[in-house]
């Protein structure tokens, strides 16, 4: 536990046999109460590796998509009583060592959601991010900030921490089962007036890191822009989108967050 709060790490896995053990090894098990791995019908030995290193994996019988994998992850984490839930990609692109500081930011009560940013105070390309991914990241993030009227350094990270209260407030089942799920979660958090913080994380790319193909990347980019526009239309009352019908968070002191979302 951390500050008396139960910390759960979720690993949405797909063909992660070569990196999973290394990622789990760097998790601080003195602080983390539970590690949940959901395997989305991998074609490799991900499940077998998970069992060998002491995890109790959940396996989808068929490949259901990255978003669907996360839905299962968060449902299991909340079912287990997680007060703080941290998502880490098991492909080792993101440092598992940052789970504890990110969880601490949530435990402090200052943030409801924390994003690990590859852009914040980093030289991402020099550290290994392909230049075309960096450019796409910067262009999409810039457009999103303008449209949703927020100020985040990155919307596309796979390292995220949430309070259990925030996860319970978000209608995640209404989100896409595809990669755009990540962006839908962020705009849902904004709709809930969640307090969002960021923490700098190193950029790691290797041959065994997961990556989506070009067609999926284009579909993701279009979905990101569509999501941002949907949020703005919803916020303006022009059109309603069920996945954005989110109750505002209520702090433990009993008062609602007022005004615009607090973005760090």
């Amino acid at each position: 536990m951390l500050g008396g709060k139960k910390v759960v790490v979720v690993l949405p896995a797909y063909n992660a046999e070569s990196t999973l053990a290394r990622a789990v090894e760097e998790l601080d098990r003195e602080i983390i109460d539970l590690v949940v791995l959901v395997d989305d019908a991998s074609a490799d030995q991900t499940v077998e590796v998970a069992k060998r290193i002491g995890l109790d994996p959940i396996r989808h019988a068929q490949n259901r998509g990255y978003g669907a994998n996360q839905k299962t992850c968060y449902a299991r984490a909340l079912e287990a009583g997680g007060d703080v839930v941290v998502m880490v990609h098991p492909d080792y692109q993101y440092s598992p060592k940052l789970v504890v500081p990110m969880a601490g930011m949530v435990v402090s009560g200052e943030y409801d959601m924390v994003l690990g940013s590859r852009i914040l105070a980093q030289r991402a390309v020099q550290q290994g991010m392909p230049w075309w991914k960096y450019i796409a990241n910067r262009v999409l993030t810039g457009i999103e900030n303008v449209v949703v009227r927020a100020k985040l350094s990155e919307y596309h990270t796979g390292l995220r921490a949430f309070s259990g209260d925030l996860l319970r407030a978000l209608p995640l089942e209404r989100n896409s089962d595809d990669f755009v799920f990540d962006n839908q979660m962020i705009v849902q958090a904004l709709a809930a007036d969640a307090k969002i913080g960021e923490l700098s994380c190193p950029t790691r790319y290797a041959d065994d890191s997961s990556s989506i193909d070009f067609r999926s990347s284009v579909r993701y980019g279009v979905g990101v822009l569509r999501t941002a526009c949907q949020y703005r239309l919803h916020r303006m009352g022009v059109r309603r989108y069920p996945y954005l019908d989110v109750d505002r968070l209520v702090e433990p002191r009993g008062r609602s967050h007022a005004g615009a979302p607090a973005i760090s």
Side-chain angles (χ1 to χ4, degrees), residues 1-187:
M1 286 194 173
L2 183 64
K5 303 293 185 180
K6 186 172 184 177
V7 179
V8 178
V9 169
V10 297
L11 306 171
Y14 181 67
N15 292 342
E17 67 173 5
S18 64
T19 55
L20 176 59
R22 180 172 43 170
V24 172
E25 183 180 6
E26 292 191 3
L27 294 173
D28 188 345
R29 303 304 289 271
E30 293 186 2
I31 299 295
I32 298 164
D33 298 273
L34 177 66
V35 177
V36 174
L37 181 138
V38 177
D39 176 75
D40 199 29
S42 293
D44 65 3
Q45 301 297 306
T46 296
V47 170
E48 288 72 15
V49 172
K51 291 178 179 178
R52 188 166 67 243
I53 62 177
L55 302 182
D56 183 17
I58 300 170
R59 189 174 194 274
H60 289 170
Q62 296 179 328
N63 185 272
R64 293 165 50 188
Y66 173 64
N69 191 321
Q70 286 192 67
K71 292 176 186 180
T72 303
C73 283
Y74 298 133
R76 177 66 186 97
L78 293 178
E79 180 183 277
D83 299 304
V84 180
V85 181
V86 186
M87 179 184 75
V88 181
H89 284 183
D91 64 359
Y92 205 65
Q93 275 193 33
Y94 304 90
S95 174
K97 295 178 181 179
L98 295 178
V99 166
V100 173
M102 291 178 69
M105 292 172 71
V106 176
V107 169
S108 73
E110 296 295 334
Y111 300 103
D112 306 298
M113 179 179 184
V114 178
L115 304 174
S117 172
R118 295 167 293 179
I119 306 300
L120 191 67
Q122 296 286 330
R123 295 189 299 169
V125 174
Q126 288 87 337
Q127 290 189 357
M129 180 182 283
W131 65 267
W132 64 270
K133 286 191 175 184
Y134 176 81
I135 292 174
N137 186 305
R138 296 293 74 221
V139 171
L140 288 174
T141 293
I143 295 173
E144 287 173 283
N145 276 330
V146 171
V147 176
V148 307
R149 299 181 185 175
K151 190 179 180 182
L152 294 174
S153 70
E154 181 180 9
Y155 288 76
H156 316 289
T157 174
L159 180 61
R160 302 168 173 223
F162 310 88
S163 70
D165 287 341
L166 176 59
L167 286 179
R168 279 184 285 269
L170 304 183
L172 300 180
E173 71 283 352
R174 300 175 188 170
N175 290 1
S176 169
D177 287 341
D178 209 339
F179 291 103
V180 77
F181 176 93
D182 275 348
N183 291 82
Q184 290 176 330
M185 278 196 80
I186 291 178
V187 297

Side-chain angles (χ1 to χ4, degrees), residues 188-209:
Q188 283 177 323
L190 292 173
D193 283 347
K195 297 175 292 185
I196 304 178
E198 296 186 274
L199 182 72
S200 177
C201 70
T203 304
R204 293 177 175 171
Y205 282 89
D207 292 340
D208 53 2
S209 296

